[in-house]
Amino acid sequence: MRKQKIALEAGALIDDAKKWKSIDFKPIRRQVRRLQVRIAKAVKDKRWNKVKVLQYLLTRSFYAKLLAVKRVTSNKGKKTPGIDGILWQGARAKWRAVQSLRRRGYKTQPLKRIYIPKKNGKKRPLSIPTMNDRAMQALYKLALAPIAETLADRNSYGFREGRSCADAIAAGFNALSKPNSATWVLEGDIKGCFDNISHKWMVKNIPMDKVILTKWLKAGYVEKGITYPSRKGTPQGGIISPTFSNMVLDCLENAVHNAVPRRSRVNFVRYADDFIITGKSKRILEENIKPVVEEFLRERGLELSPEKTVITYIKKGFTFLGQTFRKHGRILHITPSSKGVLALTQKVGTLIRKYVSAPTPFLIKKLNQTLLGWANYHRHVVASEAFSRIDTYVFEQLWRMVKRRHHNKSKGWLFKKYWSASGKSHCFAVKYKTENKVKIYSVIKTSAIGIKRYVKIKADANPYLPEYAQYFWNRRNNKGSKLLSAMSAREHRALAV
């Protein structure tokens, strides 16, 4: 009898694993998307009762639960457990996790608090939920995202589908590049945005299940074995937290525009909790705009950071999202910030020293990952000079490394071994023999990536509305050649120098 029971349990485990492995997620995403489109349409028509009904359907949908588990078990945090130490590894565990996602009886667990270093030497608190809490957040985010997207500010670009830092930079260019554009800029930074948002405001204004929302906000966190309560803020590390922070800051753009007449040339661009506001004079920004922003944030339990919130003249330049904006005469140039270039050179030097004794192909792979990511981020601005400086620095560091590695070899020998393997001049490469063939590994040159003008997303584009479906398909599949050809000659000169 016991053997039969064990055999049945083993068969059930095998069946659970097979069920997960047999899932085709493409039609599942399509079905969930249809519900999200219906939610966005209802929000647009201000039919809030219908929105609640559709949210209820989506958060109880088996397909949505499959997508929620899929997300938390395939992202970067899939190997990072919460306070319970549980990870969902293997097909059987994932299938059973789907079945465990229920509102009834759901209890949150405290968050695991860790600290990650910031650029200024300080540490940022990061709160890690359990896998079950992450999956519940992913599930409810599927129902909240269409609402957040439909109600979002036109010039908000952080943590939104189809938008990126490049769109925020392009919006800043549009606001400042014209001859009669505003010449003063308020650089805004919110002090501890995620950690200080008012729970009372969130529960009152965020359109989702209030019981579930309250449980997340009051979950508390564990640090060094001690459990602390959560009285404000949303955990920086939760899947749904960026959506919450965006919804808290939405309508700030309208508040800014309503504070002054249109002739004041006020423009607003926000990425997450960093934003810039342009104005034709310093007085307008100080006396009209800044008090409105402070009042808006105060209602939500937030405040501006005194150290990072400054008003700058455009010809002196300012840095936003790692790019430096500065006008030379009547031409606006956007270049990679000097701090960003310095940070990259330090990282390259550290990588070469760290992997100096490792196989050269492995070192090249690490270098290429770093250089390619940085260059792709900055390739849409005036970056040719910065790319050239980086390539020179990489060459010098690699030359120094090989001279130390082969101290008794001549310069000609070194060039022939390391800079002639790929057949391209001044390109560091090595030949690596495998069983059947010889592979060539070469370090990329950032200057070879080139400068490419970025086409900013339409401010009103909503990925959850059917009228923009073709537009987003074109952007995903690089069908923007007509938009690129429509650029003015002045924009080409300013961004492709």
Side-chain angles (χ1 to χ4, degrees):
M1 189 75 179
R2 188 183 174 192
K3 290 182 178 180
Q4 185 179 0
K5 184 178 179 182
I6 293 172
L8 288 172
E9 288 177 353
L13 298 181
I14 294 170
D15 288 343
D16 287 346
K18 284 183 178 179
K19 287 174 185 176
W20 178 265
K21 291 178 181 178
S22 65
I23 297 171
D24 182 4
F25 280 96
K26 190 173 181 180
I28 289 173
R29 290 191 182 95
R30 192 179 299 120
Q31 292 296 330
V32 172
R33 194 68 167 194
R34 286 177 181 173
L35 260 180
Q36 290 178 313
V37 168
R38 291 177 66 190
I39 292 173
K41 285 181 178 179
V43 173
K44 189 179 178 182
D45 297 336
K46 298 182 180 179
R47 300 174 62 186
W48 291 105
N49 287 333
K50 186 175 182 180
V51 170
K52 288 183 180 180
V53 171
L54 293 171
Q55 280 187 304
Y56 181 91
L57 290 175
L58 185 52
T59 53
R60 272 72 175 176
S61 164
F62 183 70
Y63 283 177
K65 292 177 182 180
L66 287 171
L67 289 182
V69 172
K70 172 74 171 175
R71 175 169 181 176
V72 300
T73 56
S74 59
N75 60 13
K76 289 183 179 180
K78 64 183 179 181
K79 295 182 180 179
T80 305
I83 196 67
D84 59 358
I86 295 174
L87 289 175
W88 292 341
Q89 295 179 326
R92 176 172 58 87
K94 294 173 185 177
W95 181 260
R96 293 196 166 185
V98 173
Q99 296 173 321
S100 70
L101 294 183
R102 297 188 186 93
R103 182 186 185 279
R104 179 178 293 181
Y106 170 65
K107 292 182 180 180
T108 57
Q109 295 191 57
L111 309 168
K112 184 170 72 174
R113 175 64 63 91
I114 62 172
Y115 291 87
I116 54 176
K118 297 170 70 174
K119 292 181 180 179
N120 57 8
K122 297 180 180 179
K123 291 186 176 181
R124 175 186 290 112
L126 189 67
S127 300
I128 303 173
T130 63
M131 293 294 287
N132 187 61
D133 289 336
R134 272 180 256 175
M136 285 294 285
Q137 289 184 16
L139 176 62
Y140 277 84
K141 184 178 178 179
L142 289 171
L144 187 62
I147 303 174
E149 190 66 38
T150 307
L151 299 177
D153 287 344
R154 298 176 78 249
N155 286 293
S156 164
Y157 299 99
F159 306 115
R160 292 178 63 189
E161 185 177 336
R163 286 165 168 79
S164 64
C165 289
D167 291 295
I169 297 296
F173 175 81
N174 293 340
L176 294 164
S177 61
K178 301 176 182 64
N180 63 339
S181 293
T183 53
W184 289 89
V185 179
L186 169 65
E187 304 170 60
D189 184 88
I190 300 170
K191 186 177 181 180
C193 180
F194 281 88
D195 300 326
N196 295 305
I197 300 173
S198 166
H199 284 180
K200 185 178 179 181
W201 189 95
M202 292 177 70
V203 172
K204 183 179 178 181
N205 294 278
I206 291 182
M208 67 166 288
D209 190 317
K210 306 300 181 185
V211 174
I212 297 294
L213 175 58
T214 303
K215 286 182 179 181
W216 289 337
L217 296 178
K218 302 297 182 182
Y221 63 92
V222 176
E223 185 176 359
K224 296 180 180 178
I226 302 173
T227 303
Y228 297 91
S230 300
R231 294 186 175 87
K232 58 182 180 178
T234 178
Q236 192 167 351
I239 287 177
I240 204 169
S241 295
T243 305
F244 285 160
S245 66
N246 266 340
M247 297 191 79
V248 168
L249 297 176
D250 282 335
C251 297
L252 178 56
E253 183 174 2
N254 289 336
V256 166
H257 284 301
N258 293 335
V260 291
R262 189 174 179 180
R263 62 179 179 274
S264 302
R265 299 172 199 159
V266 169
N267 290 282
F268 177 92
V269 181
R270 177 171 68 85
Y271 188 92
D273 60 339
D274 293 327
F275 60 88
I276 58 172
I277 304 173
T278 69
K280 70 176 184 179
S281 71
K282 187 176 182 179
R283 182 185 61 81
I284 288 175
L285 295 176
E286 281 184 338
E287 298 178 7
N288 300 93
I289 300 299
K290 193 174 180 182
V292 170
V293 174
E294 290 173 339
E295 177 60 28
F296 178 91
L297 296 177
R298 195 177 299 114
E299 292 177 4
R300 292 152 174 79
L302 302 171
E303 61 179 341
L304 290 173
S305 171
E307 302 85 13
K308 298 180 181 179
T309 302
V310 293
I311 298 175
T312 311
Y313 187 54
I314 189 60
K315 291 193 176 179
K316 289 186 178 180
F318 68 95
T319 300
F320 179 56
L321 299 178
Q323 314 276 18
T324 298
F325 291 66
R326 183 180 286 111
K327 256 191 175 178
H328 302 273
R330 303 179 74 183
I331 302 296
L332 176 71
H333 282 175
I334 307 176
T335 58
S337 68
S338 56
K339 286 184 179 179
V341 174
L342 178 62
L344 180 67
T345 56
Q346 290 174 343
K347 188 172 183 180
V348 167
T350 302
L351 279 175
I352 292 175
R353 288 190 295 273
K354 183 178 179 180
Y355 298 107
V356 65
S357 58
T360 307
F362 186 78
L363 169 62
I364 290 174
K365 181 182 178 181
K366 290 291 183 181
L367 281 176
N368 284 347
Q369 289 174 350
T370 301
L371 294 172
L372 189 61
W374 188 87
N376 279 332
Y377 180 83
H378 293 286
R379 70 179 301 191
H380 307 300
V381 299
V382 186
S384 298
E385 184 180 343
F387 285 177
S388 179
R389 285 171 57 193
I390 293 298
D391 288 340
T392 301
Y393 179 81
V394 172
F395 170 82
E396 290 172 350
Q397 292 297 307
L398 290 173
W399 176 253
R400 187 177 175 185
M401 181 193 74
V402 297
K403 278 188 72 177
R404 286 185 175 181
R405 183 179 289 181
H406 308 283
H407 58 276
N408 58 344
K409 298 293 184 179
S410 65
K411 291 182 180 180
W413 186 91
L414 294 176
F415 267 106
K416 185 176 180 180
K417 179 173 178 62
Y418 290 105
W419 276 273
S420 301
S422 66
K424 301 176 183 178
S425 59
H426 305 290
C427 180
F428 183 89
V430 293
K431 292 180 179 179
Y432 190 77
K433 293 182 180 179
T434 59
E435 294 180 358
N436 300 322
K437 57 183 178 179
V438 176
K439 293 185 76 174
I440 297 176
Y441 296 86
S442 59
V443 176
I444 65 166
K445 297 186 72 174
T446 56
S447 55
I449 292 174
I451 307 300
K452 183 180 179 181
R453 175 74 164 102
Y454 183 81
V455 180
K456 178 187 162 304
I457 193 171
K458 291 179 181 178
D460 294 321
N462 186 338
Y464 296 101
L465 292 178
E467 54 263 36
Y468 290 105
Q470 185 64 42
Y471 174 77
F472 278 97
W473 187 89
N474 289 340
R475 286 184 69 84
R476 285 194 301 270
N477 293 277
N478 297 318
K479 303 293 184 181
S481 57
K482 292 183 179 179
L483 295 172
L484 285 169
S485 63
M487 275 195 307
S488 67
R490 179 175 56 79
E491 288 176 325
H492 273 294
R493 289 196 302 271
L495 284 175
V497 171

